[in-house]
């Protein structure tokens, strides 16, 4: 939902009639960048405090070095994560949430809590679906 030209809220599907497709497209692009599995897990882990790359990788779990590096670059590009290089030998790199990342942590935690609270219902729905479809 978003405001129309008169300040009233209209569903994104109706945005074409109001000439506000841009806002829905923007929302879709941003959600695509920040709502993948790894981004949410990295934000959740960094919510506990700054970490170096390998420590972050251990905390996140089964993520490849390549995928973690790519995820961190995207989060940094979008302003959620900061990367600090300490000029030592070898250089130390630490990742932390920015203010924007800290703000994003609240909805991430809310989503995680919702998933935990509703996992049994989703499992039951999958089982019922499989039964209806004759899938073992």
């Amino acid at each position: 939902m978003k405001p129309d030209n008169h300040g009233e809220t209209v569903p994104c599907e109706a945005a074409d009639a109001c000439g506000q497709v841009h806002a829905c497209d923007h929302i879709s692009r941003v959600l695509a960048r920040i709502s993948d599995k790894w981004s949410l897990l990295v934000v959740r882990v960094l919510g506990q405090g700054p970490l170096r790359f390998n420590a972050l990788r251990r905390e996140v779990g089964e993520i490849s070095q390549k995928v973690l590096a790519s995820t961190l670059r995207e989060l940094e590009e979008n302003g959620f994560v900061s990367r600090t290089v300490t000029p030592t030998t070898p250089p130390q790199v630490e990742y932390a949430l920015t203010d924007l990342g800290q703000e994003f942590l609240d909805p991430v935690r809310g989503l995680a809590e919702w998933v935990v609270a509703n996992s049994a219902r989703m499992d039951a729905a999958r089982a019922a679906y499989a039964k209806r479809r004759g899938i073992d």
Side-chain angles (χ1 to χ4, degrees), residues 9-45:
T9 303
V10 295
C12 285
E13 319 63 82
D16 289 338
C18 299
Q20 295 188 10
V21 174
H22 175 73
C24 285
D25 288 345
H26 178 69
I27 290 167
S28 295
R29 282 191 306 274
V30 170
L31 285 175
R33 284 193 297 255
I34 62 173
S35 65
D36 66 279
K37 169 186 176 179
W38 297 117
S39 293
L40 295 175
L41 288 172
V42 167
V43 167
R44 184 187 60 80
V45 170

Side-chain angles (χ1 to χ4, degrees), residues 15-81:
D16 289 338
C18 299
Q20 295 188 10
V21 174
H22 175 73
C24 285
D25 288 345
H26 178 69
I27 290 167
S28 295
R29 282 191 306 274
V30 170
L31 285 175
R33 284 193 297 255
I34 62 173
S35 65
D36 66 279
K37 169 186 176 179
W38 297 117
S39 293
L40 295 175
L41 288 172
V42 167
V43 167
R44 184 187 60 80
V45 170
L46 287 176
Q48 299 167 12
L51 290 171
R52 292 175 58 191
F53 187 90
N54 285 328
L56 178 58
R57 186 172 175 206
R58 280 190 300 275
E59 290 294 317
V60 169
E62 298 179 18
I63 186 172
S64 71
Q65 184 173 338
K66 181 179 176 180
V67 170
L68 179 56
S70 174
T71 299
L72 286 166
R73 273 192 302 274
E74 286 191 23
L75 288 169
E76 184 181 10
E77 177 185 355
N78 287 288
F80 293 98
V81 169

Side-chain angles (χ1 to χ4, degrees), residues 67-118:
V67 170
L68 179 56
S70 174
T71 299
L72 286 166
R73 273 192 302 274
E74 286 191 23
L75 288 169
E76 184 181 10
E77 177 185 355
N78 287 288
F80 293 98
V81 169
S82 64
R83 180 179 184 269
T84 304
V85 179
T86 305
T88 59
T89 305
Q92 293 184 357
V93 180
E94 186 175 77
Y95 297 90
L97 292 180
T98 62
D99 289 343
L100 183 61
Q102 287 289 340
E103 289 178 30
F104 185 49
L105 192 54
D106 288 335
V108 167
R109 284 181 177 146
L111 180 60
E113 290 169 6
W114 182 89
V115 167
V116 168
N118 290 284

